[in-house]
Amino acid sequence: MSMYDDNGPHARLRVFGLELPEPPPPVASYLPASVVPLADGRLLVSVSGQVLLCDGSPALRGRVGEEVGLEQAVDNARACALNVLAQLERAVGLDNVEQVIALTAYVRCADDFERQPVVANGASDLLLAVFGERGCHARTAVGVNALPLGVPVEVSAQVVARIP
Amino acid sequence: MSMYDDNGPHARLRVFGLELPEPPPPVASYLPASVVPLADGRLLVSVSGQVLLCDGSPALRGRVGEEVGLEQAVDNARACALNVLAQLERAVGLDNVEQVIALTAYVRCADDFERQPVVANGASDLLLAVFGERGCHARTAVGVNALPLGVPVEVSAQVVARIP
Amino acid sequence: MSMYDDNGPHARLRVFGLELPEPPPPVASYLPASVVPLADGRLLVSVSGQVLLCDGSPALRGRVGEEVGLEQAVDNARACALNVLAQLERAVGLDNVEQVIALTAYVRCADDFERQPVVANGASDLLLAVFGERGCHARTAVGVNALPLGVPVEVSAQVVARIP
């Protein structure tokens, strides 16, 4: 599948009117994504927790169910997943992604907020839209009281890819 | 090892008087378990975060150390692990599980609750009882302020299995 | 690379004046580290969430941004990572570690604490110092309201290693 494949992830991003952002540099001492050989020319790619920043500052801060509304949180989760895609593009190329294994969504929220799965769908739905069946993944969504830089959502992911 | 093996996981479940529940459908856009080939006819199975629901509603809600007591939380963690088993049965079959790799237990709790490991033992002990040595796993247990649908415990797991 | 290799992880630990602690026993029903074959004589090692205890009791308790200061938290994260190293040494030997895949740092903190990445650097920087390039990893750092025994930091990790 090439970058110009009409059914490939790049084409699907175009259909949704989405552009890959610059993959955000890590905010500390680690890699945005690690890549280790699995077997048979395949790779295990672990993408570090992604948050939404604009020029290094949070695009949105606060706790979901308090300062941050549900729809804003879903959008934020989608933007985190778009950063996951940007990291995958740089690490191995989106066209080489064979299967999304798992996604973890951390939702910074009020103590009585219960709709973390709805928030996390913002991220999951983007991966499904862009990768199709290859984007189906296991998922864990939890609430937390605090996240880096005060952002409302953080998303990490593991995928299997072909060697580019 | 067959389904009727006296020492297999199904037999052990019977010994404990436990029945596998219907594997709960995901509450959102993802798979209950993802399966990717590892090598040599083995599979990496990632089970999504499991919670205890009855007919789609939480069987128990609240924070451990507040509305939810320690024993209730341990039972809830065991029920989450039983759902992990149900997902594994459907994805690859319990008899094909070679090794439980890791388990993560999220305990929704009071800010001063410190016994997450005791709660998580409800899940770990069931895996050990059902799988024996193959059920020994690495584990991370943490507290969180909120979980989907207000449940007190969520458990995710990774295992290695043979191709069924 | 042998235990006496001048550039190996053991030599680097000596350079930093660090000694591996006794690998802490798990505080509950699980393994300190699980090991599964990956392929081609390589192993996937998952290290359970490590916390800092002294003789079974927390060396430091509290929430970062409240009772626990930033520098104390960084030191605590480094100590958690030193326990990760101790577990790896016992499970497969530090010299056999080929690549650190990923690290997750849970920081027990005030609701408005935003510097989880700085805290987690205490762990990440130690792995980089000890393993060099092989220590570069993906990372997720999140805040939580509670952790086992009241500790301020818990660190889990996955690595790829050669069969010893």
Side-chain angles (χ1 to χ4, degrees), chain A residues 130-144:
Chain A
V130 168
F131 289 123
E133 259 192 48
R134 296 184 293 144
C136 286
H137 53 271
R139 192 179 83 185
T140 299
V142 299
V144 292

Side-chain angles (χ1 to χ4, degrees), chain C residues 36-80:
Chain C
V36 298
L38 211 48
D40 313 320
R42 291 175 313 123
L43 304 165
L44 174 64
V45 188
S46 298
V47 180
S48 292
Q50 297 294 306
V51 301
L52 179 58
L53 302 179
C54 290
D55 300 324
S57 293
L60 184 67
R61 297 159 55 95
R63 308 221 293 177
V64 186
E66 287 174 0
E67 307 88 346
V68 175
L70 182 62
E71 224 170 304
Q72 284 179 301
V74 173
D75 288 347
N76 202 272
R78 181 182 301 112
C80 292

Side-chain angles (χ1 to χ4, degrees), chain B residues 68-125:
Chain B
V68 176
L70 182 62
E71 224 170 307
Q72 284 180 299
V74 173
D75 288 347
N76 202 271
R78 182 182 301 113
C80 292
L82 199 60
N83 281 341
V84 167
L85 293 177
Q87 301 294 4
L88 289 171
E89 173 68 8
R90 179 158 71 177
V92 293
L94 288 186
D95 287 334
N96 293 307
V97 171
E98 288 197 340
Q99 187 63 46
V100 181
I101 301 173
L103 181 153
T104 305
Y106 302 91
V107 180
R108 184 182 180 219
C109 65
D111 291 353
D112 60 356
F113 183 75
E114 307 189 342
R115 307 189 68 185
Q116 292 85 3
V118 176
V119 175
N121 281 356
S124 291
D125 288 344

Side-chain angles (χ1 to χ4, degrees), chain B residues 7-157:
Chain B
N7 296 310
H10 289 284
R12 292 183 194 185
L13 278 168
R14 281 195 302 273
V15 167
F16 294 108
L18 292 171
E19 268 186 54
L20 285 185
E22 270 300 295
V27 292
S29 322
Y30 59 91
L31 295 174
S34 72
V35 180
V36 298
L38 211 50
D40 313 321
R42 291 175 312 124
L43 304 164
L44 175 64
V45 187
S46 298
V47 180
S48 292
Q50 299 294 306
V51 301
L52 178 58
L53 302 180
C54 290
D55 300 325
S57 293
L60 184 68
R61 297 159 55 96
R63 309 221 291 177
V64 187
E66 287 173 2
E67 307 90 344
V68 176
L70 182 62
E71 224 170 307
Q72 284 180 299
V74 173
D75 288 347
N76 202 271
R78 182 182 301 113
C80 292
L82 199 60
N83 281 341
V84 167
L85 293 177
Q87 301 294 4
L88 289 171
E89 173 68 8
R90 179 158 71 177
V92 293
L94 288 186
D95 287 334
N96 293 307
V97 171
E98 288 197 340
Q99 187 63 46
V100 181
I101 301 173
L103 181 153
T104 305
Y106 302 91
V107 180
R108 184 182 180 219
C109 65
D111 291 353
D112 60 356
F113 183 75
E114 307 189 342
R115 307 189 68 185
Q116 292 85 3
V118 176
V119 175
N121 281 356
S124 291
D125 288 344
L126 179 64
L127 296 185
L128 290 172
V130 168
F131 289 123
E133 259 190 48
R134 297 184 293 143
C136 286
H137 53 272
R139 193 181 82 184
T140 299
V142 299
V144 292
N145 69 321
L147 281 177
L149 307 173
V151 296
V153 185
E154 179 169 351
V155 174
S156 66

